[in-house]
């Protein structure tokens, strides 16, 4: 099957570098950026849980 000659350029949510997405779901420049973003999400979730425990 022939490949699609379409370039999807995205800007990484973590480092801000512009890259060519390999899939439609690509959001990050590299694996490290994806790991950093997941860590940010986990930290935010822990903060929310801590705050909700303090409030109650």
């Amino acid at each position: 099957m022939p490949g699609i000659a379409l370039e999807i350029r995205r800007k990484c949510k973590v480092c801000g570098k512009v890259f060519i997405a390999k899939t439609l779901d690509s959001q990050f420049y590299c694996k490290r950026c994806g790991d950093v973003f997941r860590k940010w999400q986990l930290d935010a979730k822990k903060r929310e849980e801590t705050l909700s425990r303090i409030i109650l």
Side-chain angles (χ1 to χ4, degrees):
M1 280 181 110
I4 298 173
L6 184 66
E7 284 188 1
I8 300 171
R9 294 188 180 269
R10 298 250 171 95
K11 187 174 182 179
C12 180
K13 291 183 175 183
V14 176
C15 67
K17 290 184 181 179
V18 176
F19 66 99
I20 297 173
K22 294 179 182 175
T23 66
L24 292 174
D25 296 331
S26 298
Q27 298 177 9
F28 307 106
Y29 175 72
C30 62
K31 183 180 181 329
R32 182 178 173 275
C33 289
D35 293 342
V36 168
F37 187 77
R38 281 188 221 51
K39 175 100 171 81
W40 288 349
Q41 286 182 323
L42 282 174
D43 290 346
K45 185 177 179 182
K46 286 179 184 177
R47 261 185 267 122
E48 292 253 341
E49 290 173 355
T50 303
L51 287 174
S52 66
R53 272 191 271 134
I54 291 171
I55 291 172
L56 298 175

